[in-house]
Amino acid sequence: MNEKQLPWNIYDDRYPTRDVLARLADKWALLVLGRLENGPMRFNHLRRDIRGISQKVLTQTLRKLERDGLISRQIFATVPVTVEYNLTSLGRTLTDTVTVLAHWVERNMDAVQAAQAAYDAANTA
Amino acid sequence: MNEKQLPWNIYDDRYPTRDVLARLADKWALLVLGRLENGPMRFNHLRRDIRGISQKVLTQTLRKLERDGLISRQIFATVPVTVEYNLTSLGRTLTDTVTVLAHWVERNMDAVQAAQAAYDAANTA
DNA sequence: CGGCATCCCGAGGGATACTG
DNA sequence: CAGTATCCCTCGGGATGCCG
């Protein structure tokens, strides 16, 4: 059984699946999804937790995820206004994978650094 | 138990884990890893299978993955030269996750498109 | 608080030509 | 076959200022 025969093969750039993959294969999108795993969060809370993300990029990322149906946006008419982001049921089907990926990086950081050192040593004058 | 307390938290941009995540959170890197799951492949074979990738980007992607210790590069002194790329044992610990992600996109494409249509309809004049 | 609008720069990546 | 080397241009994303 080969993926090449599936209806919307991500290896074929003529299908929209490629675009969806591209939007998910983005560090900011993955970080946002992972951060929402434990429940809804407000905009500035996300902004603080995901260190290094700018306001503009966080907004863009949230809009994309919302458009793809992975997260929902709920506005509370408080003063000042409060906005909560939450995973949709569709988004929730993805977070396990995202979490695995995140943990993989943290758990294998040593091995990656060792590989980098070896590679750099071998490819240096 | 919160990820924030792990040694190399990906949510903290002061750790190198953020960079590793960024390199993995790349559509080309994920497609290459997924494609190598079934065994070693040659350069031009990858190039053909991963539609839309340019020669330059494929080379860059392969180099990064090799440097991070996820794939290996083996040269055969044939004429013309043959080069095979293969997953390392470290890389193999990632492919399951990558495959899950790829299949998620293919399986949930309908839901994503429906969400997009609904979003666009709601946010149109 | 949770954005939107602009300006602007540097990196990512396409196209093309050449090589061991 | 499997690259390297340039040129070039788009656009992701940072910085800043303003608003409901």
Side-chain angles (χ1 to χ4, degrees):
Chain A
M1 206 49 103
N2 196 315
E3 306 88 47
K4 301 190 81 175
Q5 284 135 27
L6 287 178
W8 276 336
N9 185 357
I10 56 168
Y11 286 95
D12 196 325
D13 59 351
R14 293 169 301 187
Y15 296 122
T17 36
R18 177 66 72 84
D19 302 319
V20 175
L21 177 69
R23 282 197 292 278
L24 291 179
D26 170 69
K27 71 169 185 275
W28 298 127
L30 295 183
L31 288 170
V32 166
L33 287 176
R35 207 72 203 80
L36 289 178
E37 198 187 11
N38 300 323
M41 286 184 70
R42 306 223 317 270
F43 186 88
N44 279 319
H45 193 179
L46 282 168
R47 182 159 164 45
R48 276 189 305 274
D49 277 10
I50 305 175
R51 295 194 49 139
I53 195 169
S54 69
Q55 178 271 321
K56 175 182 168 183
V57 172
L58 178 55
T59 299
Q60 288 174 346
T61 304
L62 289 168
R63 292 294 172 277
K64 289 183 203 170
L65 292 174
E66 187 191 0
R67 189 172 111 94
D68 284 350
L70 298 173
I71 64 174
S72 63
R73 179 171 182 266
Q74 191 169 7
I75 308 174
F76 298 94
T78 53
V79 180
V81 68
T82 301
V83 179
E84 253 186 23
Y85 291 92
N86 198 6
L87 290 172
T88 61
S89 54
L90 182 63
R92 211 163 277 114
T93 64
L94 241 188
T95 45
D96 280 353
T97 309
V98 172
T99 303
V100 169
L101 196 61
H103 285 22
W104 185 95
V105 174
E106 292 171 345
R107 294 226 331 279
N108 294 101
M109 190 62 215
D110 293 330
V112 170
Q113 284 189 324
Q116 288 179 355
Y119 182 92
D120 292 345
N123 295 68
T124 302
Chain B
M1 208 43 110
N2 196 315
E3 306 88 48
K4 301 190 82 174
Q5 283 135 28
L6 286 177
W8 276 337
N9 185 355
I10 56 169
Y11 287 94
D12 196 326
D13 59 351
R14 293 169 301 186
Y15 296 122
T17 35
R18 176 65 73 86
D19 301 319
V20 175
L21 177 68
R23 283 197 292 276
L24 291 179
D26 170 69
K27 71 169 184 272
W28 298 128
L30 296 183
L31 288 171
V32 167
L33 287 175
R35 208 70 204 80
L36 289 177
E37 197 187 12
N38 301 323
M41 286 184 70
R42 305 222 318 269
F43 185 87
N44 280 321
H45 194 179
L46 282 168
R47 181 157 166 45
R48 276 190 305 274
D49 278 10
I50 305 175
R51 293 193 51 137
I53 195 168
S54 70
Q55 179 273 324
K56 174 183 168 183
V57 170
L58 178 55
T59 300
Q60 289 174 345
T61 304
L62 289 168
R63 293 292 174 277
K64 288 182 202 171
L65 292 174
E66 188 190 0
R67 190 172 111 93
D68 284 349
L70 298 173
I71 65 174
S72 64
R73 179 171 181 267
Q74 190 169 4
I75 309 174
F76 298 94
T78 53
V79 179
V81 69
T82 301
V83 178
E84 253 185 22
Y85 291 92
N86 199 5
L87 290 172
T88 61
S89 54
L90 181 62
R92 211 163 276 114
T93 64
L94 242 186
T95 45
D96 280 353
T97 308
V98 172
T99 303
V100 169
L101 196 61
H103 284 22
W104 185 95
V105 175
E106 292 171 345
R107 295 224 333 278
N108 294 100
M109 191 62 216
D110 293 330
V112 169
Q113 283 189 323
Q116 288 179 356
Y119 181 94
D120 293 344
N123 296 69
T124 302

